[in-house]
Every structure is written in C-alpha cells, then in structure tokens.
Amino acid sequence: MADVDGVSRAIMTSKGKRKTAPAIDSANDLVPPLDYSFFSLTTSADALDEESRSPRGQKPKKTETGKSPAKCVRINNNNIAELDDLDLTLGKMLERPEDVSWLDLSFNEIVKIDPVLTHYDNLQILYLHGNGIADLREVDKLAACKGLKKLTLHGNPIDAIKGYRHYVLSKLPDLRVLDFSNVTKADRATANCWSNMNGINKKPKKKKEED
C-alpha cells in the first residue's frame, strides 16, 4: 500500500519483484497543483482574478476549453472565511472539478466546515489547519467525505479540546493520517474505546409507541 504522507512504499508482486505503489499525494498525471496561496484572497472566487503560481516559471497547463486539468488546488494562507462560492470557483478553474483529490485551505479564517466540501467524492486530502474552527461538531460534516484519507485540523481552537484526536478518529474511521501523523491501530482502538465511553456515536433509542 502507499503511504499517504507522500512516501511510496515498495510492495512485493506475486513473482517476488518489487513494485512501487504511488502515494496519495503523488502527481500521477504530472499536473502540478493550482497554487493561489499568499494572494490575500477574501473569497475563493477572488482566485479567478489571479494567475496560479507554477513551478520554475512554467505556465499552467490548460485544456482546449482553457481550464486546468489539475486535481489539486492550494488556496492556503489567505483571508477566506466562507466557502459558499467554492463550487463556482472550481467549476470555472478546472476541467473536471468533480475529480478534485486535494484541497489546501490552511491558514485562512474559516470558522465552520462548509458542506460544499462534501460535494467532491474523490477528495482524499484536505488541509484545514491554522483556521478558526472552535466547535468539534463541525468535524461531523466530513463523515460524508467517504474517500477522505488525510486531514489536518491542528492550529484550530478545537485541537485544544480534551479528546480532540479521539473524537475526530471516531467520526472519521477511514482516515489514515491526521495532522500529519499516521493513524495507528492503537490510535483507532483508543478512539473506539473513548467513543464508547463517551457515547459519541451512540444512536438515540427509539421511543416505544404507546398502546
């Protein structure tokens, strides 16, 4: 299996040969992320008025429609508080916005996790560290992101809440990496135990119908 921290692991094939599995972070299509970091954006739509940074001065790749084939978008280190225009923004930027696999929204002014993030079924990596999320229950919304494997939330007020890591792992059981730290079997077992003790995922009992 591939290491979601960006390190590919060598795996053995049936013939005993080593085969390298690509990491989640790896750019298999060789298309670099669209990078709109440090632009002092106040909304994600403001990125449409900017030119994405490209490595080594290369021009961003575009399709015949003039949109980017990228699957990764960085809008970190800005002043964004709301994400209600994210669908519109990615729809204008990307050839296939539904294929977005990595969003970097770290170091903004986000205080709530907008349900718009659940619209992307292929989202595997989401960076939200360094924002202003203070309510642990906001994490519950990300349970709809079934493919999410790597998440960052450190640097938000919620990471100072007792049981923060246990809560996140109990709500998102398929995460492999949280806050750049691999999720171990021990982490998962502790989170499950903590969840059971605190009734985090306990379903409310149905009221008995009166005769």
Side-chain angles (χ1 to χ4, degrees), residues 12-18:
M12 300 299 292
T13 65
S14 58
K15 295 182 179 180
K17 294 181 179 180
R18 285 181 176 270

Side-chain angles (χ1 to χ4, degrees), residues 30 34 41 86 89 95 133 165 199 201 208 210:
L30 300 181
L34 291 183
L41 309 178
L86 187 64
T89 301
E95 183 67 25
I133 302 169
R165 186 174 176 86
N201 292 321
K208 293 183 179 180
E210 296 181 1

Side-chain angles (χ1 to χ4, degrees), residues 59-84:
K59 290 185 177 181
K61 293 184 179 181
K62 292 186 178 181
T63 64
E64 294 180 356
T65 63
K67 297 182 179 182
S68 171
K71 297 180 181 179
C72 307
V73 182
R74 301 184 64 192
I75 319 180
N76 55 293
N77 292 85
N78 285 293
N79 303 309
I80 298 170
E82 303 286 343
L83 297 173
D84 51 352

Side-chain angles (χ1 to χ4, degrees), residues 34-39 41 43-45 47 73-80 83 86 89-90 93 103-108 110:
L34 291 183
D35 187 355
Y36 297 97
S37 57
F38 298 96
F39 275 121
L41 309 178
T43 69
S44 64
V73 182
R74 301 184 64 192
I75 319 180
N76 55 293
N77 292 85
N78 285 293
N79 303 309
I80 298 170
L83 297 173
L86 187 64
T89 301
L90 297 184
M93 281 182 181
L103 282 175
D104 187 349
L105 297 165
S106 61
F107 296 107
N108 276 286
I110 298 167

Side-chain angles (χ1 to χ4, degrees), residues 74-143:
R74 301 184 64 192
I75 319 180
N76 55 293
N77 292 85
N78 285 293
N79 303 309
I80 298 170
E82 303 286 343
L83 297 173
D84 51 352
D85 56 1
L86 187 64
D87 271 347
L88 174 66
T89 301
L90 297 184
K92 290 185 176 182
M93 281 182 181
L94 306 176
E95 183 67 25
R96 292 181 56 83
E98 66 273 18
D99 288 343
V100 167
S101 62
W102 175 22
L103 282 175
D104 187 349
L105 297 165
S106 61
F107 296 107
N108 276 286
E109 298 177 7
I110 298 167
V111 296
K112 292 185 178 181
I113 294 177
D114 197 296
V116 70
L117 295 173
T118 68
H119 296 177
Y120 304 100
D121 293 338
N122 293 302
L123 186 63
Q124 297 183 59
I125 303 172
L126 178 60
Y127 291 170
L128 287 169
H129 55 279
N131 279 286
I133 302 169
D135 188 345
L136 262 180
R137 291 172 296 182
E138 288 295 308
V139 175
D140 298 7
K141 300 173 184 177
L142 295 177

Side-chain angles (χ1 to χ4, degrees), residues 119-189:
H119 296 177
Y120 304 100
D121 293 338
N122 293 302
L123 186 63
Q124 297 183 59
I125 303 172
L126 178 60
Y127 291 170
L128 287 169
H129 55 279
N131 279 286
I133 302 169
D135 188 345
L136 262 180
R137 291 172 296 182
E138 288 295 308
V139 175
D140 298 7
K141 300 173 184 177
L142 295 177
C145 298
K146 301 301 183 182
L148 191 62
K149 302 300 180 188
K150 184 174 183 179
L151 173 68
T152 61
L153 288 166
H154 59 284
N156 284 275
I158 57 173
D159 78 351
I161 298 175
K162 185 177 181 180
Y164 151 74
R165 186 174 176 86
H166 301 328
Y167 184 94
V168 175
L169 294 181
S170 67
K171 290 295 180 179
L172 307 175
D174 293 323
L175 276 187
R176 297 182 193 170
V177 180
L178 175 60
D179 296 338
F180 299 119
S181 176
N182 288 337
V183 177
T184 65
K185 290 183 179 179
D187 288 333
R188 188 72 63 205

